[in-house]
Amino acid sequence: MTVSKFGRRGFVAGGLAMAGAAKLAAPALAQGQTRLNFYYPVAVGGPITKLIDTMCADFERENPSIKVQPIYTGSYQDTIAKTLTALKSNDFPHFAILLSTDMFTLIDEDVIVPFDDSDQAWIKSFYPAFMENSQAEGKTWGIPFQRSTIVQYWNKELFKEAGLNPDVPPKTWADQIEIAQKLTKRDASGNTSQWGMQIPSSGFPYWLFQALTTQNDVRLMNPEGTRTFFDDPKVVEALQYWMDLSMKHKVHPTGIVEWGTTPRDFFERKVAIMWTTTGNLTNVRTNAKFDFGVGMMPFGRRGGSPTGGGNFYVFKKANAAERAAATAFAKFVTQPERAAQWGIDTGYVAVTPAAFETQRMKDYVAGFPAAAVARDQLPLAWAELSTHDNQRVTKALNDGLQAGLTGAKSAQVAMAEAQREAQRLLRPFQR
Amino acid sequence: MSDALAPRGLGRALETFGAWALAIFWVAPLLYCVWTAFHPPEYATKFVLWAPLSVENFVKAWNAAPFARYFLNTFALVTMVLAGQLVLVTLAAYAFARFEFIGRDIAFALVLVQLMIMPDVLLVENYLIMAQLGLVDTILGIGLPYFASAFGIFLLRQTFKGLPKELDDAARVEGAGVLVTLWRVYVPLARPTYIAFGLVSVSYHWNNFLWPLIVTNSVETRPLTVGLRVFTAIEQGVDWSVITAATLMSCGPLLIAFLLFQRQFIQSFMRAGIR
């Protein structure tokens, strides 16, 4: 993201933010330079590192007293491992982007501090769906940055071949089965050459599953992150629907569907409809050699999807000046113009409604309407599964889901067992 | 003269079959890797015998990350670690094998205890020490915790103990000092053990991922394994062609070295008693 791309409007907005940031960064100025280590979860060399480098350089230009050193730390999992290790030493990050769902873990580890909420206008400027995973105990612990949600992508050519209207994706759960049946092709010996749809289930099946539960109008956890509802009848029903897609209706590949290769299956026309993150938009746009559509998720009892992705966190080890400087940086990059440009460059959902009101974003959406789908779905979106002891609770659910999808257990049993395990893990937090 | 223990008839057929089956099982991922790396992405999951060959994947992979630098780092790392290990391990093993001193057995037991501990458990402690020494984000910082290899000390002590004491005595009679005896007698005779240990050490550090990731921050210090992570930005889906090309590039030097020195390696392993 270069300065020239921002034009005049960017500078004006930046100037206004500076007025606020200058006040916050005042102690830093008194001490001379403030140096910040910023852990960012991406591998070195990817296209995103260039954007982040530019962002840091722009920030330093407007805040000469602050130096931001971005450190690229691989995947989210690698990043949290590195962060928690480094925080125990004298060479540590002052702030970082980590999964929004790690909030409770980070609070329990006592390594993060809440954001200064004197600037309520800023805190309230984000989409409420993103803030669900960012606030707890009445405080704001995370600031949304690279956030995503799940949408459906469909191959318009295959829709046409099957005699379907290429501009209308499945709108309801019932619709979805019917349309997927028309899109599933089998050869004479009964082998499937083209599947109607696929929902990835490797790695983090709970996230995709949460789209189904959200659509079935049931939450997986309470906002305090101390209770889960995996054995709720509506949760079981959602899993049963997913299992039925492959086992009963035979429109979805059986067993575990790989997350990483699902886009490729889509490009190779092995599947007509896929569910995946909005973060894949740029990838699909570059690699799909056919006309494709991006749409809101179908409705069960309601519509919607979980949110996903990463938040800014500021660490307790940073001193007052460093915390203020890190907050100033988070403010700087979430201003509407910058948030809009970040969304356009990466495919992540711009985090504030104001970003969608910028001319830059309006022009982009006009040329590429798919970019607005995530925005339109956000009012229906719910927080991603996040609890205390999050990694293990999530694993309990993942194991249950995979047991169901591979046919090892019935939906009922799989979810009851997952709930029992989650309940056991969460008991210490249910004071 | 036929070996009485060599399997015959059905037994032999089964054994041959088993060996082939295991070999094919083992080499299959590598074959897939080579296939995918040398063909355009369309053929990543399709097998067409006459599919066009291409090196484009390698070009893409090479340009996606500063691989030359990563190679240099990895090379510097494994060389440094191995050099450090050889010196420390030789001296320690010699002391444990041939000298009587108070607390020797306890000290050796402590070294053996180290073998039982997974290095990953020590991540945090190691990081703390590296931070105190100011070695975070240096190649020395990646290697230092591995210099005193318990495995190496154990292995070499056993080898040294197995050498005839008479050779040692003969050297002494000729007027050789302690270190000269070590250098002229023990080290040359333990060559197979050194080769076997060197191979284990180099391949371990060539492949090590978690510790280098945690202790390094910049391109200037990161080894290949950490660099490879560029291609696993899982959010965007996986491009198998480029990943396999990058993987081949990363493990290529090791593979080639192994193929060239295969015979020596296997003999060393047999003699050193590592299986």
Side-chain angles (χ1 to χ4, degrees), chain B residues 46-267:
Chain B
K46 255 187 294 187
F47 184 78
V48 181
L49 192 54
W50 303 115
L53 291 169
S54 120
V55 288
E56 203 195 319
N57 296 322
F58 288 90
V59 176
K60 256 196 227 163
W62 184 268
N63 290 332
F67 264 103
R69 181 78 216 193
Y70 290 146
F71 263 111
L72 187 71
N73 293 342
T74 293
F75 192 74
L77 173 70
V78 297
T79 318
M80 182 192 68
V81 170
L82 188 63
Q85 281 178 337
L86 289 182
V87 171
L88 286 180
V89 158
T90 304
L91 292 174
Y94 189 42
F96 282 128
R98 284 297 185 235
F99 291 90
E100 293 284 344
F101 54 92
I102 300 167
R104 182 184 74 167
D105 294 337
I106 294 176
F108 187 61
L110 285 176
V111 170
L112 288 188
V113 165
Q114 230 198 90
L115 275 178
M116 313 291 159
I117 302 172
M118 289 288 293
D120 297 352
V121 180
L122 300 173
L123 280 182
V124 174
E125 281 305 314
N126 282 343
Y127 190 93
L128 276 180
I129 296 171
M130 290 309 132
Q132 279 162 6
L133 293 175
L135 290 178
V136 168
D137 201 24
T138 60
I139 293 183
L140 182 61
I142 313 177
L144 198 55
Y146 293 94
F147 276 14
S149 160
F151 174 65
I153 294 174
F154 173 71
L155 200 66
L156 215 56
R157 172 186 175 266
Q158 299 311 102
T159 313
F160 285 172
K161 282 212 133 184
L163 298 176
K165 188 85 170 68
E166 290 75 16
L167 289 174
D168 189 325
D169 295 340
R172 296 289 165 94
V173 170
E174 296 288 328
V178 171
L179 286 178
V180 176
T181 316
L182 173 64
W183 183 246
R184 290 283 163 82
V185 178
Y186 286 90
V187 172
L189 287 171
R191 202 166 147 247
T193 312
Y194 280 113
I195 294 180
F197 173 70
L199 182 69
V200 172
S201 166
V202 166
S203 65
Y204 181 84
H205 290 284
W206 194 283
N207 293 326
N208 200 2
F209 170 70
L210 190 61
W211 169 247
L213 169 82
I214 286 184
V215 79
T216 60
N217 294 332
S218 56
V219 172
E220 284 69 36
T221 54
R222 286 186 161 165
L224 275 172
T225 42
V226 180
L228 260 187
R229 284 299 264 207
V230 179
F231 305 105
T232 48
I234 193 93
E235 178 118 296
Q236 316 289 330
V238 179
D239 188 343
W240 287 114
S241 316
V242 177
I243 287 188
T244 49
T247 310
L248 273 190
M249 279 192 323
S250 304
C251 67
L254 269 196
L255 270 181
I256 292 170
F258 187 80
L259 288 177
L260 284 180
F261 301 112
Q262 193 189 23
R263 194 174 294 266
Q264 282 95 320
F265 282 141
I266 290 175
Q267 277 178 358

Side-chain angles (χ1 to χ4, degrees), chain A residues 114 117 119 153 176 259 274 324 360 402:
Chain A
D117 47 12
D119 190 351
Y153 295 74
Q176 179 161 261
W259 164 270
M274 67 164 175
R360 186 188 311 280
Q402 295 190 337

Side-chain angles (χ1 to χ4, degrees), chain A residues 39 43-46 48 70-76 78-79 81-82 84-86 88-92 148 204 207 259-261 263-264 268 270 276-277 279-283 289 346 348, chain B residues 41-46 63-66 70 123-124 127-128 131-132 136-137 209-210 212-219 222 226-227 229-241:
Chain A
Y39 280 13
V44 184
I48 288 189
I71 295 167
Y72 302 111
T73 44
S75 71
Y76 280 116
D78 297 341
T79 306
K82 194 169 152 79
L84 291 177
T85 311
K88 297 202 163 62
S89 78
N90 58 8
D91 194 334
F92 57 89
S148 51
F204 36 89
W207 194 51
W259 164 270
T261 50
R264 181 147 294 275
E268 289 174 0
K270 285 182 190 159
T276 187
T277 165
N280 251 320
L281 201 51
T282 316
N283 180 27
K289 303 216 162 54
T346 60
Y348 287 113
Chain B
E42 295 89 273
Y43 299 94
T45 49
K46 255 187 294 187
N63 290 332
Y70 290 146
L123 280 182
V124 174
Y127 190 93
L128 276 180
Q132 279 162 6
V136 168
D137 201 24
F209 170 70
L210 190 61
L213 169 82
I214 286 184
V215 79
T216 60
N217 294 332
S218 56
V219 172
R222 286 186 161 165
V226 180
R229 284 299 264 207
V230 179
F231 305 105
T232 48
I234 193 93
E235 178 118 296
Q236 316 289 330
V238 179
D239 188 343
W240 287 114
S241 316

Side-chain angles (χ1 to χ4, degrees), chain A residues 24 36 115-116 122 314 322-332:
Chain A
L24 281 165
L36 298 175
F115 280 84
D116 174 10
W122 180 48
V314 175
E322 290 159 348
R323 288 178 194 177
T327 307
F329 184 82
K331 267 188 201 177
F332 178 81

